[in-house]
Amino acid sequence: MVQFDRTLEYIDQLQHAGTAAAVCERLLGITSDFGLTALMAGTVPQPGTPTGQQKQHVLLCDWPVEWLERYVARNYVDHDPVVSHMKQLQAPFKWQEAAQGVRIDKSSGEVMGDAGSFKLRDGLAFPLITLDGHIVMVSLGGEAVELSAAEFGLVSLVSTYAIGRAMQLHTMAGKTIDHIELTPRERECLQWAAVGKSEWEISQILGISEHTSEKHLLNAKSKLGAVNRVQAVAEAIRRGYIS
């Protein structure tokens, strides 16, 4: 119950952030308690993308400026073990897992070594899939990261919500979501999605088709102004539709 209350409080803080910069600041205010003091979020450029265009892929950033400049100038994105691991795993993971899970060549080792020199020795990363299918990579780093399994889940959830909130601010261009009405089925589908059930599992639980459960979740995401499933769940929690 305490963890749920903390999550709700964090989501509320992020929801009241009015700019992308404020979202970034408030998210790091939360994650810094766990040693995660730097943030980078953006779409992953295609291999060989000119360095001059790579910064256009950044959505939120509070990385050491010199490290960001070096990362782009040396085209580290094509050799970063964290990026490679994210493409394969597509789930939250710790940087150390990426270093252990891929063969570290000279270039990969240089990326990790240089990050450490900027007090980014460890962190966590995960992909965020938007409704239109774009993949956003979220990476949080610091010098000494300490996370329990529950805290790992909390940070992943609030970080995903934060990126969704930043994208929402950008795409909504000043629009606000007033009172909305979710149907009983939409609420039920979100309730089960909140505990990690897939569209197929939800369909079996509720006795409906997988297509119908998917449609209910899409409708709920649209009504809530969410860019993905995780943000829809978080927004539903914040609004009291899920308890």
Side-chain angles (χ1 to χ4, degrees), residues 170-201:
H170 176 73
T171 57
M172 292 180 67
K175 294 180 181 178
T176 58
I177 301 176
D178 297 318
H179 178 71
I180 57 174
E181 290 291 342
L182 295 180
T183 68
R185 273 293 194 227
E186 289 165 355
R187 292 192 186 202
E188 285 181 308
C189 288
L190 279 174
Q191 185 82 51
W192 287 111
V195 295
K197 299 298 183 183
S198 67
E199 281 84 349
W200 181 83
E201 289 172 321

Side-chain angles (χ1 to χ4, degrees), residues 59-137:
L59 296 173
L60 287 180
C61 180
D62 195 332
W63 235 225
V65 175
E66 189 179 345
W67 166 237
L68 177 61
E69 295 294 337
R70 183 181 301 187
Y71 192 96
V72 172
R74 298 187 180 182
N75 199 36
Y76 276 168
V77 69
D78 287 345
H79 308 283
D80 191 340
V82 173
V83 175
S84 299
H85 197 61
M86 184 211 67
K87 290 178 179 178
Q88 297 171 12
L89 189 64
Q90 296 192 359
F93 62 90
K94 294 182 179 179
W95 289 4
Q96 291 177 348
E97 295 174 31
Q100 296 167 359
V102 299
R103 182 175 176 270
I104 300 293
D105 57 22
K106 182 179 179 181
S107 297
S108 298
E110 185 178 355
V111 175
M112 301 301 284
D114 273 5
S117 69
F118 287 94
K119 298 184 178 181
L120 299 173
R121 301 184 185 279
D122 197 9
L124 64 85
F126 56 90
L128 185 158
I129 313 298
T130 67
L131 288 177
D132 53 9
H134 290 120
I135 299 177
V136 177
M137 191 187 91

Side-chain angles (χ1 to χ4, degrees), residues 5 24 36 47-48 73 85 90 122 126 133 135 146 161 165 212 223-224 238 242:
D5 289 342
C24 192
L36 298 162
H85 197 61
Q90 296 192 359
D122 197 9
F126 56 90
I135 299 177
E146 295 185 10
Y161 186 84
R165 174 60 178 161
T212 301
K223 289 179 180 180
L224 292 165
R238 188 186 74 84
I242 297 176

